[in-house]
C-alpha cells in the first residue's frame, strides 16, 4: 500500500511534460485529481483498518494523509513549469 505512492509521485512530472507536448492544458488537472482521489480512498482504507484502535493509530492515518497531500501539492506545482517546457518543445519541433 505504501510502495506505490513514490511511483505515482514520480510519474506526475512526466505526465505534465507529456501533456505539454500534446498541447492540451485542460488535461493538466486530470493526473493530480486522480492521485488525490486515490490518496483519499487510501486514507479511508487505512482508517477502516484502524477501527477502534488507540489514538496513535488514528494519528498515523492523519500523518499519512497530510504527508501525501503535501507531496501532491509540491509535485503538482513542479509540473507547471514542465508543462510549459513540453509546450515549448512542441512549438520548436512542430512549425506553425
Amino acid at each position: 500500500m505504501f510502495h506505490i505512492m513514490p511511483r505515482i509521485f514520480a510519474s506526475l512530472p512526466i505526465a505534465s511534460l507529456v501533456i505539454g507536448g500534446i498541447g492540451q492544458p485542460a488535461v493538466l488537472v486530470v493526473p493530480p485529481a486522480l492521485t488525490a482521489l486515490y490518496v483519499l480512498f487510501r486514507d479511508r482504507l487505512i482508517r477502516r483498518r484502524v477501527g477502534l484502535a488507540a489514538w496513535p493509530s488514528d494519528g498515523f492515518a492523519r500523518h499519512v494523509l497530510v504527508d501525501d497531500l503535501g507531496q501532491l501539492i509540491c509535485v503538482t506545482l513542479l509540473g507547471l513549469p514542465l508543462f510549459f517546457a513540453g509546450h515549448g518543445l512542441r512549438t520548436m519541433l512542430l512549425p506553425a
Side-chain angles (χ1 to χ4, degrees):
M1 179 185 310
F2 296 105
H3 298 288
I4 194 168
M5 289 310 294
R7 293 181 180 126
I8 291 174
F9 288 141
S11 68
L12 286 176
I14 297 168
S16 296
L17 187 66
V18 169
I19 292 169
I22 294 171
Q24 296 293 326
V27 182
L28 191 60
V29 298
V30 173
L34 291 176
T35 304
L37 184 66
Y38 176 74
V39 165
L40 293 175
F41 175 73
R42 191 177 75 153
D43 178 61
R44 288 284 109 203
L45 184 68
I46 291 171
R47 288 181 188 265
R48 193 176 312 134
R49 286 185 182 175
V50 167
L52 297 174
W55 276 103
S57 297
D58 191 45
F60 172 73
R62 288 180 187 163
H63 167 71
V64 170
L65 177 66
V66 169
D67 184 51
D68 285 344
L69 289 177
Q71 285 183 359
L72 179 62
I73 290 170
C74 291
V75 171
T76 302
L77 291 176
L78 173 71
L80 291 174
L82 292 174
F83 169 78
F84 290 120
H87 184 69
L89 285 173
R90 180 177 187 257
T91 57
M92 283 186 349
L93 295 176
L94 297 174

